[in-house]
Amino acid sequence: MVTGSEMTSINEPDKSSAHIPAGKLIAGVCVGLAAMGAQAQQSEPDGYAGATSANYQEAATRTQWNTRYENQLLTNTLQLITDGTRSGEGYFSADGTQFVYQAEMPGNPFYQIYLLDLESGESNRVSTGVGLTTCAWIHPTLDRIMYASTHEDPNALAKQAEELAIRASGEARPYGWDYDPSYEIYAADSDGSNLVNLTHAAGYDAEGSYSPDGRTILFASNREAYARPLSKVEQGLLDDDASYFMDLYVMDADGSNVKQLTFSPGYDGGPFYNAEGTKILWRRFNPDGNSAEIWTMDADGSNQRQLTANGMVNWGPYYHPSGAYIIYSSNVLGHANFELFMIDPEGSSDPIRVTNTDGTDILPVFSPDGERLAWSTTRTPGGASQIHMADWDHEFALELLGLQ
């Protein structure tokens, strides 16, 4: 999953550059292929991330975003992760005492997974130190950490060395998230031991999160594209942007009983349950990859509902534990200044802007008691992405959303 400073490469005026993976898909071709929907379990797509051109034009000029609520909603803001070159995408444990996150440390160009004790401030690495890693989650009742990794890729060490050499050369490259088909989802003890592969499938398997009772795992995968013969055009799409085939799945916590939940051309990713485990929240890119919107559905995949429709990149949504509202990140204001917004879970009212500080603000998550917010941001002296945390004013949020 994209984190921190990587998002600063997204620019609003040229909508094609608002695609996180920096793909080169042609809109007309993708929309035409969307009708094919060759997924084995369902013959028709289940929805598209729609937005009208009027919405897109209006989004960039609205004066309703000229608000200054950050200092009231967020207080006592501090940089939570101070080690490493950069950090991003962190999540609280169910009891609020631990925090799992990914960070890049000197000598390793790829994110690794770390577990922070919020009381002592001590942290330890959970992942192997080899390959790419992303999207960790703490089991709600067991001493287990789930994360995605490519460490079993036979070429993992070679890719690591290659990346170090490229960085040492100073070669400039456009950013693009790596949908490495070697990504698998693993679970390990909090010290990294007893590591188990849960997915065992060709294709990108990542972006996992446990259900509140720890019995199931939501995740994103493009495995369907690797499980059947592709047409020449489909193979071109996969080669150009593997996220086009990404859908949401659910499986038991041991990796069994895999079920596909979404069947939409374009990138479905970043799924999370609500506190009760009855609803799922995620982001859906439109088929050409130019924009993403926030969606919800029931835990069984039914009753899909689109909450945003501004034709920009809206992503990283997360439920407040109360279920009263959702927080997410958007570049609706244009350019690379992603800000945090909140919206009611039915999408009945306009979103409310949360942050105002310069820099990229993404991947917001609430603590289990709803009293703290952690998020990835580039509001650092050097502009590197680091996870910050602040106290959250729930009552004021309800007031702003008209929910009191």
Side-chain angles (χ1 to χ4, degrees):
M1 183 179 289
V2 185
T3 59
S5 57
E6 292 94 344
M7 295 300 294
T8 61
S9 65
I10 297 173
N11 299 305
E12 176 268 331
D14 174 10
K15 290 185 69 184
S16 64
S17 66
H19 185 6
I20 293 176
K24 299 181 278 293
L25 299 180
I26 301 173
V29 173
C30 289
V31 173
L33 282 172
M36 296 166 111
Q39 290 88 344
Q41 296 95 327
Q42 180 167 317
S43 59
E44 294 297 329
D46 53 11
Y48 302 93
T52 67
S53 58
N55 282 345
Y56 171 69
Q57 296 296 333
E58 181 185 356
T61 58
R62 283 181 179 173
T63 59
Q64 72 183 81
W65 308 131
N66 297 331
T67 56
R68 296 282 172 177
Y69 298 134
E70 179 174 336
N71 290 338
Q72 294 166 274
L73 287 167
L74 297 168
T75 55
N76 301 317
T77 301
L78 56 85
Q79 183 174 324
L80 180 63
I81 306 301
T82 57
D83 295 332
T85 306
R86 55 180 179 156
S87 62
E89 192 175 2
Y91 303 98
F92 292 91
S93 61
D95 63 4
T97 64
Q98 295 178 305
F99 191 82
V100 70
Y101 63 98
Q102 57 195 45
E104 182 184 318
M105 296 296 183
N108 191 333
F110 299 143
Y111 279 118
Q112 296 297 312
I113 304 302
Y114 293 84
L115 182 65
L116 171 67
D117 185 313
L118 290 170
E119 295 178 355
S120 69
E122 297 181 356
S123 62
N124 65 275
R125 195 183 74 211
V126 178
S127 56
T128 66
V130 175
L132 301 158
T133 69
T134 192
C135 307
W137 197 270
I138 302 172
H139 194 283
T141 61
L142 304 176
D143 181 35
R144 300 287 284 172
I145 307 295
M146 173 183 58
Y147 64 95
S149 174
T150 67
H151 68 270
E152 289 191 293
D153 177 2
N155 298 314
L157 288 174
K159 291 177 180 178
Q160 214 157 309
E162 179 184 12
E163 179 64 22
L164 285 171
I166 291 174
R167 293 191 183 188
S169 72
E171 177 185 340
R173 295 171 297 164
Y175 173 76
W177 184 248
D178 192 346
Y179 298 99
D180 194 315
S182 297
Y183 264 117
E184 302 281 7
I185 296 176
Y186 298 83
D189 291 346
S190 59
D191 62 1
S193 63
N194 298 318
L195 184 64
V196 177
N197 185 337
L198 300 177
T199 45
H200 298 286
Y204 172 94
D205 295 306
E207 305 178 27
S209 60
Y210 282 112
S211 60
D213 60 11
R215 294 181 179 179
T216 61
I217 295 171
L218 291 172
F219 66 103
S221 178
N222 60 4
R223 58 177 57 195
E224 184 268 337
Y226 294 84
R228 62 177 175 84
L230 299 179
S231 70
K232 182 178 179 180
V233 177
E234 288 175 319
Q235 187 62 54
L237 285 167
L238 181 65
D239 294 341
D240 184 75
D241 181 6
S243 73
Y244 175 82
F245 294 91
M246 206 79 70
D247 283 299
L248 301 186
Y249 293 76
V250 64
M251 63 182 175
D252 289 349
D254 63 0
S256 63
N257 297 323
V258 178
K259 176 187 176 184
Q260 188 171 347
L261 294 175
T262 65
F263 301 82
S264 176
Y267 185 1
D268 285 342
F272 302 105
Y273 286 103
N274 64 354
E276 295 75 30
T278 58
K279 303 286 288 187
I280 293 171
L281 176 67
W282 84 101
R283 55 120 196 287
R284 168 171 284 171
F285 274 88
N286 65 353
D288 64 16
N290 288 340
S291 62
E293 307 295 350
I294 307 302
W295 286 64
T296 63
M297 62 182 169
D298 291 347
D300 63 0
S302 63
N303 296 321
Q304 294 190 13
R305 185 184 188 93
Q306 182 176 341
L307 303 187
T308 63
N310 54 43
M312 300 298 284
V313 177
N314 306 275
W315 73 300
Y318 204 84
Y319 278 107
H320 187 269
S322 67
Y325 50 87
I326 291 161
I327 194 165
Y328 65 98
S329 182
S330 176
N331 68 345
V332 68
L333 299 176
H335 306 294
N337 186 21
F338 278 76
E339 300 286 358
L340 302 185
F341 293 80
M342 57 182 177
I343 192 171
D344 69 271
E346 298 299 318
S348 302
S349 302
D350 287 336
I352 299 294
R353 182 178 177 179
V354 172
T355 55
N356 298 94
T357 302
D358 289 342
T360 295
D361 296 300
I362 59 173
L363 297 168
V365 297
F366 290 108
S367 59
D369 60 10
E371 296 181 359
R372 290 175 293 177
L373 183 78
W375 74 104
S376 304
T377 178
T378 60
R379 58 176 70 191
T380 55
S385 168
Q386 295 290 358
I387 296 174
H388 284 52
M389 185 171 68
D391 294 333
W392 175 258
D393 193 329
H394 173 57
E395 295 303 319
F396 186 51
L398 292 175
E399 179 183 337
L400 290 174
L401 289 163
L403 300 174
Q404 284 186 326

